[in-house]
Amino acid sequence: MLKSSISNSIIMCSLLPEVRSIVSPSLLSCDLSNIAKDAAQMLEYGADWLHMDIMDGHFVPNISFGPPVIASLRKANKEAFLDCHLMVTEPMKWVQPMAKAGASLFTFHIESEMPSEGGVHALIKAIRDSGMQVGICMKPDTPADAIYDYMEHVDLILVMTVVPGFSGQKFMSTVMPKVKLLRSKYP
């Protein structure tokens, strides 16, 4: 997958496909009493997607949004693309609640616990079967080859350049060679 759907594609005459940039600002530090307003403002300013950092307090020590917040945001912003990054221990348990809440994209961490039957492929299938797009994420220290077997089955790759679970961290430029490697392997 890793390319735009045909309805969003521009046909180019070149050796490399065009890579469309997507702006997806995080709502993690928004004013929760005004989340719908903040989200609408981000979209008005040109955001393509709204990035929602979902934390369970186990995979990462902090707790953030869950399905009820996603459902409320979906109700207030019916057309928004909700890019949900799940920093959770057992992502399979979150698939149906997030789909029901209105998530557009479900991005899971390769380091999280996978279903005992079928592993990562079973999780990817469950996400797709629920009507969401699939993203795969890795922590800064996880080697790029940890996701090679799944690259052709996902719509998005998220390479963390901070330690997951905390806002306000310094960008880890040491992760950028991994980004370069993934881009060269999967243009």
Side-chain angles (χ1 to χ4, degrees):
M1 301 230 171
L2 291 183
K3 34 188 172 238
S4 304
S5 67
I6 203 71
S7 63
N8 293 331
S9 296
I10 297 173
I11 298 173
M12 300 285 292
C13 294
S14 70
L15 296 175
L16 291 176
E18 180 178 335
V19 177
R20 180 179 171 274
S21 296
I22 295 171
V23 176
S24 186
S26 174
L27 282 162
L28 182 61
S29 296
C30 75
D31 176 353
L32 289 176
S33 67
N34 289 308
I35 190 170
K37 182 180 174 187
D38 287 354
Q41 190 173 41
M42 284 183 184
L43 295 168
E44 287 172 19
Y45 287 158
D48 298 299
W49 297 354
L50 299 174
H51 185 86
M52 304 300 295
D53 290 298
I54 314 298
M55 301 180 211
D56 67 358
H58 298 281
F59 185 77
V60 295
N62 288 314
I63 297 173
S64 66
F65 313 121
V69 172
I70 301 304
S72 295
L73 193 56
R74 171 59 67 216
K75 184 178 177 183
N77 296 276
K78 292 179 181 17
E79 301 301 317
F81 188 95
L82 301 181
D83 164 21
C84 297
H85 170 206
L86 283 90
M87 292 168 269
V88 300
T89 300
E90 296 180 75
M92 184 64 99
K93 290 182 177 180
W94 292 71
V95 172
Q96 286 308 312
M98 293 302 290
K100 184 178 178 185
S104 307
L105 170 70
F106 185 111
T107 300
F108 66 92
H109 273 264
I110 192 66
E111 303 90 355
S112 58
E113 293 176 18
M114 294 299 139
S116 56
E117 291 187 31
V120 174
H121 289 293
L123 177 59
I124 291 170
K125 182 179 183 334
I127 296 167
R128 282 221 188 279
D129 289 351
S130 72
M132 295 180 287
Q133 290 185 23
V134 181
I136 194 166
C137 183
M138 66 179 77
K139 294 178 180 180
D141 293 336
T142 301
D145 63 2
I147 64 169
Y148 286 174
D149 291 344
Y150 316 109
M151 300 284 289
E152 300 298 325
H153 306 283
V154 300
D155 302 295
L156 175 132
I157 300 162
L158 177 57
V159 178
M160 297 291 295
T161 56
V162 295
V163 176
F166 304 95
S167 63
Q169 297 177 63
K170 185 177 177 186
F171 176 78
M172 297 170 69
S173 61
T174 56
V175 179
M176 294 312 294
K178 185 182 341 185
V179 173
K180 186 176 183 179
L181 172 64
L182 290 168
R183 173 55 69 206
S184 70
K185 194 163 180 62
Y186 299 95

